[in-house]
Amino acid sequence: MGGWHQLYPGHIPTSPLQKALLAAGSAVMALCDPYRHDMVAVLGETTGCLALPNLRDKMKNHPEGYRILQERPRIRLSTLDMARLQGLPDGSLGREYVRFLEDNKVSPDTRMPPKFVDDEELAYVIQRYREVHDLMHTLLGMPTNMLGEVVVKWFEAIQTGLPMCVLGAAFGPVRLSTRKLQVLATELVPWAIRSGLNSSCVLNIYYEQRWEQPVESLREELGIFPPPAVPV
Amino acid sequence: LINCISFPCPFFAVYQVFESVAKKYDVMNDSMTLGIHRVWKDILMHKMNPCPGTLLLDVAGGTGDIAFRFINYVRSVRQRQLQRKLKQHQNLSWQEIFESYQKDKFNSLGDSQVVVCDINREMLKVGKQKAQHLGYSEGLSWVLGNAEELPFDDDKFDVYTIAFGIRNVTRIDLALQEAYRVLKPGGRFLCLEFSHVSNPLLSRLYDLYSFQVIPVLGEVIAGDWRSYQYLVESIRQFPPQEELKAMIEDAGFFKVNYDNLNFGIVAIHSGFKL
């Protein structure tokens, strides 16, 4: 068992055996009980040992990503000026993000802090990935229903390479109806894959400094194709 | 390397641990011990061998495992008593037999009673819900209390049990003194608790399982790594068999002995107030 070298608040050092057991256990539990969001988080942390350094390097080698790693911005209700964002013009990132939070009744504060990542910078990277997830929804125009979440997972799987996203993308669809599966397979997933491959790294955008930018303009800048006109 | 999680004070730490684990307590016990904890508790009850009319105090009894076993045990002993009585009444009329059976039927426990005492409201709540669900009502009461300062008079109980609870008491000596106080003369003290494995190979396997697997189970099943890390560490810091025996003797108990279960993973200590 590792010594108690806590690298960041909330860090729980784990041995390789513990990580393996956690990965297996959290995968099973996440499938058995879909309300255990904490298990999805644990799965992401214990299996991300290859993908996270990759992501961190992509950020380091990009001017905006590098700044994010230095400044470590956090997306939280306490740090967001909701009134200002609501006052922004329709179609802007800030306005659409707030609209997304309200429509889907979600809050940026429900993201789990990392526990099992044994590197303090990588812990931030996975935290950043979790906190910009809602912005992914906004950029892709996907709601937080099962179908929307699966689409976002496909996009994220391509973008980040995190095994947890790959598993979510692969197993998420099992709970969908046939009609939705059809829409998913024929329109949404191909679009998500194309956009994911074409887009530059979404973690290299300093979203907090681009609230005024129109969503369409940001999509173009990244390389995300316009979402298909199907009901989700 | 054993390091304690730093909490503001040990008492509060234990309370918080059981607050968060109360709902998943039973599931976790089954998972961690692969169901074997049920056998340990059965063995405790057989060692106690209570007869109907016994007044039991189960301390740190939380979710009621010992209490329910006690009720089942005295009920079956009582059942056998009644059957023997009926056999003696071979020459009575059917009416007389029916009447005598009716009278005894409403005393299926033979006046046995168990008081479950726990310091944690959440654990008691879960215990009461379980009792309702399983149909236990007669002869059972639930009291909020601290093992170091029991809310009972002196010389009250026939048997005092504490199963997997004494490990969490800050001052074990005080708990033992309180146990002595509330027991009647002739009363018995029984303690079921994790203890020390002396066999070196087994000890290493046990340590490996405890430190590598149990916190993982805690995280996956109960979403709570830290509480189960605490559990594993507290087991190692608990006095071994002989030391606990000496502490029990210090509290005034006589004929103190212990039985190891599973090579010392668990031990049952017993003592009498004379």
Side-chain angles (χ1 to χ4, degrees), chain A residues 149-171:
Chain A
E149 290 289 356
V150 171
V151 177
V152 176
K153 273 288 162 292
W154 274 92
F155 179 81
E156 284 176 346
I158 305 278
Q159 277 276 307
T160 64
L162 283 167
M164 178 263 282
C165 296
V166 175
L167 285 170
F171 286 99

Side-chain angles (χ1 to χ4, degrees), chain B residues 122-194:
Chain B
E122 289 304 313
M123 294 291 277
L124 283 175
K125 201 159 77 169
V126 172
K128 282 188 209 168
Q129 284 169 352
K130 257 172 80 178
Q132 211 176 28
H133 182 70
L134 295 168
Y136 292 101
S137 53
E138 213 191 323
L140 182 59
S141 48
W142 308 84
V143 175
L144 191 70
N146 183 344
E148 296 178 21
E149 213 182 316
L150 291 170
F152 305 110
D153 289 329
D154 301 1
D155 307 323
K156 235 193 123 179
F157 296 96
D158 296 308
V159 185
Y160 171 112
T161 50
I162 184 163
F164 301 114
I166 204 164
R167 193 186 72 250
N168 300 302
V169 170
T170 329
R171 293 282 306 274
I172 298 174
D173 54 335
L174 290 181
L176 292 172
Q177 281 168 34
E178 278 293 88
Y180 190 85
R181 181 180 70 76
V182 302
L183 276 171
K184 289 180 194 162
R188 190 176 193 185
F189 168 87
L190 281 167
C191 166
L192 173 66
E193 189 52 82
F194 287 110

Side-chain angles (χ1 to χ4, degrees), chain A residues 12 15 18 36 39 115, chain B residues 211-212 219-221 225-226:
Chain A
I12 298 175
S15 67
Q18 285 174 323
R36 292 292 302 276
M39 287 293 102
K115 287 188 281 208
Chain B
F211 283 102
Q212 298 297 314
E219 179 72 18
V220 172
I221 295 173
W225 176 285
R226 289 193 193 278

Side-chain angles (χ1 to χ4, degrees), chain B residues 6 56 75 102 119 138 141 167 170 176 178 185 228 272:
Chain B
S6 61
L56 167 67
R75 210 178 253 160
Q102 286 287 79
I119 199 171
E138 213 191 323
S141 48
R167 193 186 72 250
T170 329
L176 292 172
E178 278 293 88
Y228 289 91
F272 289 90

Side-chain angles (χ1 to χ4, degrees), chain A residues 4-14 42 45 112-120 123 127 130, chain B residues 219 225-226:
Chain A
W4 273 96
H5 298 302
Q6 229 193 9
L7 297 169
Y8 50 88
H11 179 217
I12 298 175
T14 43
V42 169
E45 288 166 35
M112 303 262 340
K115 287 188 281 208
F116 302 112
V117 180
D118 291 337
D119 178 301
E120 179 262 337
Q127 176 114 73
R130 283 178 192 158
Chain B
E219 179 72 18
W225 176 285
R226 289 193 193 278

